[in-house]
């Protein structure tokens, strides 16, 4: 007996500990604190299903506990043979019917919201972005705007943004937990879904389908800004001049090295459609380097010197001559000066 | 092959005996031992995974190796640990339960075992031959077609071999149950474990061919340049996902139904009460199997199949809660009013109920498609399926092992150690997997080599790792228990629990090679219990003592398997150099030659004579 | 369980293929296997159906397929099904010679079918350069039809080794089930072919 | 001796039954060839697609029914379990083909 109570205690404690843990998921990463259309929809269903599940579980455990307390073999009962009951139709009907009802309670809202989330009829009157998953970075092409970016997706707040998602190599999955559920990026077709964020901010995005060694490092961000800031950003991004002369000599040298090492073969600056590697426009305003490192010059240098040690299996490794620390530093300086827009992740912060 | 060979046999003779045996009980034990070996391998891989995820941005192992670890962990556990151990139990116990002297195809039974074993060896050899498969146990294309090296090739050939073995096993069980039931053993008198064996075998029969086809396509794409999954040539990578899950979802019921069967044996025996709602249990099992084939796309809800498909598959999936619920409540009702004794076998069974219910309920939560857009490919899913697989299948296996150990090996496992192992494992299990649900929702996708600092994922992962170590300790105590028992344990009687209800408890522990000297007459459900209640201590025989026909042992299953094994290497390496094709021919020559010998050489078996049987003690 | 395998068939009115436990087991085992084969071929058919238009610029089914050869192949295989029925008929009448004769014809028809298929594949490869690697359609086509062909090859080897092995021994309760299971398997191959000629060839030619 | 005559009687009964059955099977065969011919002719005639495809599929299904029930004796006694399993397989086959022809192409 006491053993079972002990087990129960451990169990209750554990669940409690886990609940406390859950409360402190990282803001703008956790799905438990939804700030977008899809995430909110999912949350509603989760809450509903948790209620159903907990009630079912309580009933099961109630019977279970009673059984274990009342029907243990007592001393002197070794030869006692209980009545051999075959079954009971009423009971069996009850525990068939109630789960059917509960399942219906879950099924109806699920189907409704599945259709709601798949509704793309308003796509033509909104922002449309072509999203391409690559090993191991994300590319964004604003349809009809001649804007190409990578890794940071800027969207306006409180508006449905339609994403046409595809992959250039293996399957990836586009997931921004706090804003919306995920959808796969397949190589052979375009998947369309919309996201709508209710609050400005920088949201973590993750790749959710195993895509190779650096799958866990394929992070990106969604930067949600006000409509005005977004419009300004669009304006800025449309008028990027790739030939722009850098402000100082180091950066100038960096620019020359950038060109000399043929970085342009893969990386575009401006709206050029080259997309073998991430588009570097507006690089100074990136939330991170390679999706995971703090945006600092040291980190940039480290990346340029040895990308393999940071993202194993990435496609940049070995595709350019190795750089000395000075060279890398100059290139970093150049890139960190590519400040093409007034709208930055900080704009989303206020 | 002689009876009562009491004198010590040489090592060579014993080995030969095991290589050639066609006895279902020996093969059952061999399945269990081999499965346990692979379980430890898979468990060590799990430990490596948990150590890597102990703290953020850990670099215990490299990214590539991590992907190999998860792939091998999943594949090993499902195909080479859980399934074989279940097949082993079915093999050893089911014929006894239906009053048969053997399975329908003893030769094929042995072939099935060897194919499984060599498939597992094949897969694991990849560690030493340039790297293991690294595309996940689901091997989604095109990641798996593009995966460099030969890892995925080993996955393909290893699974193909063992899959063929499993299919053979499934057909064998089906025929056995249809034709070999003893006198009086009607369908509705079969013990539930036999029923679940039957239905799981149907699932095997219909699910594995889809995997076979999928593996063929993958093999052709990787080794012979076909274009099934090559988008540039019009291929479609989603085909693999469908084929895999058409197999994969029934597969999870192949894993759980036999465990359900085991619990349905244990609860009545240790409650001294017949199973509540026997026919609804059978019916529920059929329902689960039937629905199980129509829900596979719930693994693909985020693929983009469209709202209609997603809704249909979501609702169909939820429906499975109903028959499963029937089972849960029937088990509870079986114990209600009973006289419950708690020992290790019963502890594992009792622990199953809350654990599996949690896992099943998170399953239903996953089925709500909208929410699955959040859950999918996160640790929530990992939490779900370890709750059902460990809390259901593995608990079932452990319960079954404790319960049938005396029948399999003639000795009762040590109770004290059994209980300690249980508690440590049980606590470790919940520690490991409960937090994972929350990790998933807090933004931790699965198959992540590292998680980043400052994302609120540290504590949860640490707790999870600690739990995994507790499970290891539990497992090690269980292993010690086995060793201890086999050295020190007392010999078990035919019915060591005293309340055995089914036929296997009517024969000695372990049973003689012919199982039943005279086939017993079955008079109802729980045949042995009925006799006991009528004051008989033995089954009434249904036939006079006659010569017993026995199948001959044969080495051919081993040679056939080795042939296919060699050919597989040929297939894998001919990509590098065509001269490896020679191995394909050699391998097939050996395999086909063995088949030819098998079909040309008559094999009528032999008889154990009445006189010898009479001399045997009961 | 059966005690004596050389049982004289003449005095038995039971179906010799199912008179012994082994015979019954074989019979059921093969049928169940065919249940699995149904799913196996369904998977191939499904794959083919979803890839049949993915020709990647290569030849399409309309360009490739012709009716005549396929019709001949169909008749060959259908007829071989009938001849095996005759063979089993004679087995049940315990007429070993006639049974062997009809099975012999069955084998010949099977071989003729196979020859046509090889000719057909060779034709596609040489004339149209349409191979297994040309496109997803090519892969799916050769895999589906080839797996069926493989089943024919296997069936023929099975049949021939049965006939050779038992040529001098006559019919017994030991080998009757083997012939019978073969016959069922052979019919199943025909079943699959009916779908192949309908779904692959005929549907492939309807534009 | 009585035993033997009995068996002989049964045997002769069985023989006529088998002959009868053989006749059915030949008819079946003729029908199958006819169906095949019709299917080929319909395609050769280049009729409209919406008619031809369902029609030839129907012919195929009927033919396969003949094979299963007559040539493979699924109609006979003792085939209950067999036919339930075969229908199980057919059901799964149908579901598989249905999904592959509908939802694999978005
Ligand atoms: C033993 C194995 C096993 C079992 C039994 C189950 C059982 C179930 N599973 Fe699970 N599942 C897996 C193994 C298993 N699963 C694995 C391995 C994966 C991941 C594979 C991978 O991607 O690697 C997976 C993934 C998986 C997914 C995909 C998740 C994703 O990738 O996004 C889904 C989605 O629907 C799902 C659902 C279910 C459901 C509804 C059940 C049901 O059968 C559960 C039914 C049981 C109950 C519900 C509890 C008892 C019932 C009652 C007490 C009655 C009342 C209850 C209600 C009314 C709710 N499972
Ligand atoms: C039957 C199936 C089964 C079983 C039993 C288990 C058991 C366990 N699993 Fe696993 N698991 C899967 C099937 C299973 N798993 C599958 C299918 C996947 C998905 C793979 C994929 O994504 O492709 C997966 C994935 C998976 C992951 C996710 C990896 C990722 O996505 O990145 C994790 C992480 O915690 C994990 C952990 C564990 C643990 C801790 C156990 C423990 O229960 C294990 C307990 C056992 C032991 C600990 C063994 C004890 C060892 C000894 C006694 C040896 C001692 C001797 C020496 C040390 C010499 N599993
Ligand atoms: Cu599933």
């Amino acid at each position: 007996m006491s053993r079972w109570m002990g087990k129960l205690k451990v169990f209750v404690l554990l669940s409690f500990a886990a609940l406390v843990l859950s409360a402190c998921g990282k803001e703008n990463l956790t799905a438990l604190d939804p700030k977008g259309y899809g995430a909110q929809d999912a949350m509603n269903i989760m809450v509903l299903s948790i209620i159903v599940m907990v009630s079912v579980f309580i009933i099961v455990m109630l019977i279970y506990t009673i059984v274990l307390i009342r029907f243990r073999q007592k001393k002197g009962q070794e030869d006692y043979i209980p009545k051999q009951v075959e079954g009971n139709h009423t009971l069996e009907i009850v525990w068939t019917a109630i789960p059917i009802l509960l399942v219906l309670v879950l099924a109806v809202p699920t189907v409704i919201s599945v259709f709601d989330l798949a509704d793309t009829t308003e796509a033509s009157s909104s922002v449309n972005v072509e999203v391409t998953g690559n090993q191991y970075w994300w590319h964004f092409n604003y349809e009809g705007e001649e804007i190409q970016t990578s890794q940071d997706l800027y969207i306006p707040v409180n508006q449905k943004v339609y994403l046409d998602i595809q992959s250039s190599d293996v399957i990836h999955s586009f997931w921004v937990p706090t804003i919306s559920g995920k959808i796969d990026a397949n190589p052979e077709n375009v998947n369309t879904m919309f996201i709508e964020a209710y609050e400005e901010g920088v949201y973590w995005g993750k790749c959710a389908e195993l895509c190779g060694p650096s799958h866990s490092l394929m992070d990106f961000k969604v930067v949600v800004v006000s409509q005005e800031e977004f419009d300004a950003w669009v304006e800025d991004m449309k008028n990027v001049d790739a030939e722009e002369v850098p402000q100082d000599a180091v950066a100038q040298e960096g620019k020359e090295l950038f060109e000399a090492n043929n970085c342009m073969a893969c990386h575009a600056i401006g709206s050029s459609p080259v997309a073998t590697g991430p588009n570097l426009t507006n690089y100074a305003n990136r939330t991170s380097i390679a999706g995971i490192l703090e945006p600092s010059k040291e980190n940039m240098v480290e990346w340029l010197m040895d990308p393999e040690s940071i993202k194993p299996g990435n496609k940049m490794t070995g595709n350019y001559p190795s750089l000395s620390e000075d060279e890398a530093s100059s290139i970093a300086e150049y890139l960190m000066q590519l400040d093409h827009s007034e709208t930055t992740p900080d704009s989303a912060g206020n | 092959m002689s009876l009562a060979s009491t004198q010590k046999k040489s090592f060579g003779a014993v080995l030969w005996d095991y290589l050639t045996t066609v006895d279902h009980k020996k093969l059952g034990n061999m399945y269990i031992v081999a499965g346990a070996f692979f379980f430890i391998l898979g468990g060590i891989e799990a430990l490596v995974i948990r150590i890597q995820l102990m703290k953020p941005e850990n670099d215990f192992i490299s990214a590539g190796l991590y992907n190999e670890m998860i792939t091998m962990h999943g594949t090993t556990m499902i195909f080479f640990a859980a399934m074989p151990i279940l097949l082993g139990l079915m093999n050893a116990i089911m014929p006894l339960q239906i009053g048969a002297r053997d399975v329908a195809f003893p030769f094929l039974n042995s072939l099935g075992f060897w194919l499984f074993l060599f498939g597992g060896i094949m897969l694991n050899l990849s560690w030493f031959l340039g790297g293991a498969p690294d595309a996940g146990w689901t091997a989604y294309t095109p990641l798996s077609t593009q995966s460099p090296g030969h890892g995925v090739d080993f996955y393909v050939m290893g699974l193909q071999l063992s899959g063929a073995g499993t299919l053979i096993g499934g057909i064998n069980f089906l025929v056995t149950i249809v034709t070999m039931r003893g006198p009086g053993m009607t369908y509705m008198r079969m013990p539930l474990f036999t029923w679940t064996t039957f239905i799981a075998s149907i699932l095997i029969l219909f699910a594995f061919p889809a995997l076979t086809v999928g593996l063929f396509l993958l093999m052709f794409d990787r080794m012979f340049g076909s274009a099934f999954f090559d988008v540039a040539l019009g291929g479609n990578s989603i085909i693999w996902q469908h084929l895999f899950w058409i197999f994969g979802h029934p597969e999870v019921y192949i894993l759980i139904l036999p465990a359900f069967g085991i619990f349905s044996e244990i609860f009545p025996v240790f409650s001294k009460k017949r199973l509540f709602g026997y026919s609804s249990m059978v019916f529920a099992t059929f329902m689960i199997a039937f629905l199980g084939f129509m829900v596979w796309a719930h693994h693909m809800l985020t693929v983009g199949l469209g709202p209609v498909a997603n809704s249909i598959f979501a609702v169909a999936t939820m429906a499975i809660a109903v028959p499963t619920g029937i089972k849960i409540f029937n088990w509870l009702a079986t114990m209600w009013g009973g006289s419950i004794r708690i020992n290790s076998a019963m502890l594992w069974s009792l622990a199953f109920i809350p654990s599996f219910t949690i896992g099943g309920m998170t399953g239903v939560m996953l089925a709500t498609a909208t929410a699955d857009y959040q859950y999918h490919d996160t640790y929530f899913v990992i939490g779900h399926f370890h709750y059902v697989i460990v809390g259901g299948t593995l608990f079932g296996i452990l319960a079954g092992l404790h319960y049938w150990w005396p029948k399999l090996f003639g000795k009762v496992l040590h109770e004290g150690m059994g209980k300690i192992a249980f508690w440590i494992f049980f606590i470790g299990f919940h520690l490991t997997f409960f937090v994972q649900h929350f990790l998933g929702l807090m933004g931790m996708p699965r198959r992540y080599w590292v998680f980043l600092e400052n994302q609120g994922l540290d504590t949860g992962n640490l707790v999870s790792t600690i739990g995994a170590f507790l499970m290891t300790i539990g497992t090690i105590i269980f292993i010690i228990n086995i060793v201890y028992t086999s050295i020190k344990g007392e010999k078990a009687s035919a019915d060591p629990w005293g309340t055995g209800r089914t036929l296997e408890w009517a024969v000695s522990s372990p049973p003689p090679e012919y199982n039943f000297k005279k086939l017993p007459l079955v008079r109802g459900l729980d045949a042995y219990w009925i006799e006991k209640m009528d004051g008989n201590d033995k089954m009434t025989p249904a036939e006079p003592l006659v010569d017993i026909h026995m199948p001959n042992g044969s080495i051919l299953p081993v040679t056939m398997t080795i042939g296919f094994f060699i050919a597989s290497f040929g297939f894998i390496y001919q990509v590098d150099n065509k001269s490896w094709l020679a191995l394909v021919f050699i391998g097939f020559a050996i395999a086909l030659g063995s088949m030819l010998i098998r079909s040309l050489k008559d094999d009528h078996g032999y008889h154990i004579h009445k006189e010898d049987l009479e001399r045997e003690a009961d | 369980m059966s005690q004596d395998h050389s049982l004289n068939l003449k005095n038995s009115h039971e179906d010799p293929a199912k008179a012994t436990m082994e015979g019954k087991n074989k019979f059921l085992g093969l049928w169940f296997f065919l249940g699995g084969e149904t799913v196996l071929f369904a998977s191939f058919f499904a794959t083919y159906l979803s890839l049949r238009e993915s020709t990647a610029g290569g030849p399409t089914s309309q360009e490739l397929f012709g009716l005549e050869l396929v019709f001949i192949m169909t008749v060959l295989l259908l007829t071989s099904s009938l001849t095996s029925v005759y063979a089993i008929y004679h087995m049940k009448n315990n007429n070993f010679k006639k049974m062997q004769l009809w099975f012999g014809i069955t084998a010949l028809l099977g071989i003729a079918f196979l020859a046509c298929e090889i000719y057909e594949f060779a034709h596609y490869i040489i004339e149209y350069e349409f191979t297994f690697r040309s496109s997803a359609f090519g892969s799916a086509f050769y895999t589906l039809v080839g797996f069926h062909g493989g089943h024919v090859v296997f069936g023929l080897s099975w049949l021939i080794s049965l006939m050779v092995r038992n040529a001098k021994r006559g019919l017994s309760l030991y080998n009757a089930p083997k012939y019978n299971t073969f016959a069922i398997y052979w019919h199943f191959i025909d079943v699959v072919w009916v779908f192949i000629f309908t779904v692959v060839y005929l549907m492939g030619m309807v534009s | 001796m009585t035993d033997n005559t009995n068996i002989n009687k049964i045997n002769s009964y069985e023989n006529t039954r088998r002959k009868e059955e053989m006749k059915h099977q030949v008819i079946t065969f003729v029908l199958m060839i006819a169906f095949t011919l019709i299917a080929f002719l319909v395609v050769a005639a280049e009729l409209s697609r919406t008619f031809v495809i369902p029609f030839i599929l129907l012919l195929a299904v009927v033919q396969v029914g003949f094979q299963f029930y007559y040539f493979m004796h699924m109609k006979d006694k003792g085939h209950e379990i067999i036919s339930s399993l075969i229908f199980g397989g057919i059901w799964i086959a149908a579901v598989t083909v249905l999904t592959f022809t509908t939802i694999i192409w978005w």
Side-chain angles (χ1 to χ4, degrees), chain D residues 44-90:
Chain D
E46 296 188 11
L47 299 173
S48 103
R49 188 187 163 85
T50 43
F51 162 73
V52 171
I53 290 185
F55 183 67
I56 57 179
L57 282 175
L58 183 74
L59 289 183
V61 170
V62 175
Q63 270 210 46
V64 164
F66 279 145
Q67 281 273 1
F68 272 129
Y69 279 96
Y70 287 89
F71 283 11
M72 296 162 88
H73 299 277
M74 222 163 76
K75 65 177 178 7
D76 294 6
K77 266 221 293 286
H79 286 64
E80 296 79 13
I81 295 234
I82 285 173
S83 45
S84 41
L85 266 142
I86 288 291
F87 276 109
I90 289 175

Side-chain angles (χ1 to χ4, degrees), chain B residues 50 66 73 77 137 379 386 389 436 446-447 471-472:
Chain B
R50 280 317 326 165
Y66 184 82
H73 164 68
M77 282 295 196
W137 83 286
Y379 266 79
H386 283 90
I389 287 191
Q436 291 189 349
R446 63 191 284 203
R447 296 167 169 173
M471 278 192 276
T472 315

Side-chain angles (χ1 to χ4, degrees), chain B residues 97 187-199 257-258 260-265 268 275-283 285 327 331 404 502 525-526:
Chain B
Q97 285 197 328
Y187 282 110
M188 288 315 268
R189 288 176 181 175
M190 293 195 319
L192 242 275
F193 181 66
T194 299
W195 264 117
T196 53
T197 301
F198 185 70
I199 296 171
L257 291 183
F260 285 174
I262 294 170
F263 298 125
S264 306
E265 300 293 311
L275 187 67
F276 191 90
Y278 172 86
S279 37
S280 68
M281 285 298 237
V282 174
F283 175 72
T285 315
K327 286 188 159 258
W331 284 317
W404 279 312
T502 39
L525 179 65
D526 293 335

